[in-house]
């Protein structure tokens, strides 16, 4: 009696399908690389950094603006450019007028430009006379400003024919023929006055 041997084809799970063909080992699963997924907080950090930078810039501009423009004058003073002006209604001699300005940490008006004079004279009364900080202490026609600003011949605003008297050693602003200008007067005359000081910067 002939016995038959039956061969069963058994395949193992990890065994390649064909023994006769060359097969490559299975590749390891690849990790998906996504910078945003691997670092989920990156966009938030970038946004926060930009916001902080913008905030710092805004603060810098604000400080610069305040430092430059936060200036003021005392109450009842007139502002022009970087200066403040006080128009006194009291009448005093020239020396007393200067001392009064000095007590307010100012000095009698020093005029540097026509624009400055025009701004001030718009606030003055046409029928009044005002001392300014220009004088000739020695009576030699050597005019001096109280703050030691050089006397500038190209920025003088004398009335026609003035100064005309070596005994008149102090200067006032007054109106003649409808125009404001300078006139020399005796220093012991009593007139109103104008004080000037630098603006206060906060």
């Amino acid at each position: 009696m002939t016995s038959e041997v039956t061969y069963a084809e058994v395949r193992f799970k990890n065994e390649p399908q064909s023994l006769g063909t060359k097969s490559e080992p299975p590749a390891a699963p690849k990790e998906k690389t996504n910078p945003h997924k691997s670092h989920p907080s990156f966009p938030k950090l970038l946004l926060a950094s930009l916001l902080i930078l913008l905030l710092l810039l805004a603060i810098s501009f604000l400080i610069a603006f305040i430092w430059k423009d936060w200036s003021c004058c005392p109450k009842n003073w007139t502002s022009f450019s970087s200066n403040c002006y006080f128009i006194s209604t009291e009448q005093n001699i020239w020396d007393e007028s200067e001392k009064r300005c000095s007590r307010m940490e100012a000095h009698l008006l020093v005029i540097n430009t026509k624009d400055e004079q025009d701004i001030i004279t718009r606030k003055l009364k046409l029928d009044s006379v005002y001392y300014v900080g220009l004088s000739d202490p020695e009576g030699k026609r050597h005019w001096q400003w109280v703050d030691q600003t050089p006397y500038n011949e190209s920025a003088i605003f004398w009335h026609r024919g003035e100064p005309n008297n070596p005994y008149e050693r102090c200067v006032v602003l007054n109106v003649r023929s409808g125009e404001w200008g300078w006139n020399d007067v005796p220093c012991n005359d009593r007139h109103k006055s104008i004080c000037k000081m630098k603006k206060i910067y906060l």
Side-chain angles (χ1 to χ4, degrees):
M1 184 174 175
T2 309
S3 61
E4 293 183 3
V5 179
T6 306
Y7 295 93
E9 187 177 349
V10 179
R11 291 189 179 177
F12 294 98
K13 192 174 182 181
N14 292 331
E15 186 181 348
Q17 288 184 2
S18 172
L19 293 174
T21 59
K22 224 177 186 182
S23 63
E24 295 179 3
K30 292 183 180 178
E31 286 187 13
K32 292 184 180 178
T33 56
N34 188 330
H36 296 296
K37 286 188 178 177
S38 60
H39 300 286
S41 61
F42 178 77
K44 291 180 181 177
L45 285 174
L46 182 61
L47 182 60
S49 300
L50 287 172
L51 286 174
I52 290 170
L53 181 61
L54 287 173
L55 183 62
L56 289 173
L57 284 172
I59 290 170
S60 300
F61 280 121
L62 182 62
I63 290 172
F65 175 79
I66 289 173
W67 184 260
K68 181 180 177 183
D69 293 327
W70 236 17
S71 60
C72 62
C73 290
K75 188 178 179 181
N76 299 324
W77 289 60
T78 296
S79 171
F80 172 66
S81 186
S82 60
N83 299 301
C84 305
Y85 305 85
F86 180 76
I87 300 165
S88 172
T89 56
E90 291 183 16
Q91 294 192 351
N92 288 301
I93 64 174
W94 191 91
D95 282 339
E96 283 302 318
S97 297
E98 171 57 16
K99 286 176 184 175
R100 189 168 188 275
C101 290
S102 184
R103 286 194 292 271
M104 295 187 286
E105 298 184 2
H107 52 72
L108 279 171
L109 175 63
V110 173
I111 300 170
N112 294 306
T113 65
K114 185 69 164 60
D115 285 344
E116 183 178 23
Q117 177 163 295
D118 289 345
I119 287 291
I120 300 308
T121 54
R122 286 175 198 158
K123 305 280 185 180
L124 305 181
K125 293 185 176 180
L126 296 174
D127 59 350
S128 295
V129 177
Y130 301 86
Y131 274 126
V132 299
L134 187 62
S135 66
D136 174 23
E138 299 174 1
K140 296 180 179 178
R141 307 285 88 172
H142 293 156
W143 298 103
Q144 298 176 10
W145 289 108
V146 289
D147 70 345
Q148 307 306 313
T149 297
Y151 179 69
N152 185 356
E153 292 284 349
S154 64
I156 57 176
F157 310 106
W158 294 102
H159 284 302
R160 185 184 296 273
E162 301 292 344
N164 65 354
N165 190 334
Y167 296 102
E168 296 177 342
R169 300 179 182 179
C170 292
V171 179
V172 294
L173 260 176
N174 65 353
V175 173
R176 189 183 289 177
S177 303
E179 293 289 331
W180 286 96
W182 303 354
N183 186 35
D184 58 342
V185 296
C187 297
N188 288 329
D189 286 357
R190 303 182 76 82
H191 297 296
K192 296 177 183 178
S193 59
I194 307 163
C195 300
K196 177 180 177 179
M197 68 183 293
K198 287 286 186 186
K199 278 185 178 177
I200 300 165
Y201 287 88
L202 304 176

